[in-house]
Amino acid sequence: MNNSRTTADGPGSTATVGAMATVGATGTVGTLCLDERPPVPGDPLAIHDLTPRERQVLLLLGQAATNRRISHSLGIAERTVKSHLTSIMGKLDVTTRTEAALFSYVHHRVLVHEDSGAAAS
């Protein structure tokens, strides 16, 4: 028994929704496994290379904070926030603010643990 259903997304394309999905569009056919998580941008091992302040900035970014809100929360200038973000993005190997925010969201527990560990030392 197949628990999947087929839907039409537009002319020439179909998608089968279930444990495995065959996604087709004009000229392309592929299989997408819906049971697997999509890849997250960035290098999780690079978390250890972040300074405690960079981890704080990244955690706030993961909560969708603006540069202004981050600067007010941490008592630093917006220009300093931008500098931290540039450094963070380079260390994590992400290219956009959105990728950095997604990285922060996905790795929140590790970032909090690392931040509290640095504060205890």
Side-chain angles (χ1 to χ4, degrees), residues 19-120:
M20 293 290 286
T22 301
V23 180
T26 307
T28 62
V29 176
T31 301
L32 173 69
C33 183
L34 299 178
D35 295 335
E36 294 180 20
R37 296 177 100 182
V40 176
D43 178 10
L45 298 176
I47 291 173
H48 305 292
D49 296 334
L50 299 174
T51 67
R53 180 62 92 188
E54 288 171 339
R55 285 192 293 275
Q56 290 173 333
V57 169
L58 187 58
L59 284 167
L60 290 169
L61 182 67
Q63 297 172 9
T66 63
N67 287 358
R68 179 169 289 170
R69 184 168 147 222
I70 294 170
S71 72
H72 287 293
S73 295
L74 299 178
I76 58 178
E78 279 188 68
R79 188 175 189 149
T80 305
V81 172
K82 290 177 186 179
S83 177
H84 284 310
L85 287 173
T86 299
S87 177
I88 290 165
M89 291 168 63
K91 288 178 181 180
L92 296 180
D93 195 28
V94 296
T95 56
T96 67
R97 180 184 182 95
T98 302
E99 287 180 341
L102 178 61
F103 182 94
S104 175
Y105 181 80
V106 170
H107 299 288
H108 180 82
R109 284 188 184 175
V110 177
L111 289 166
V112 169
H113 176 72
E114 284 292 315
D115 197 38
S116 63

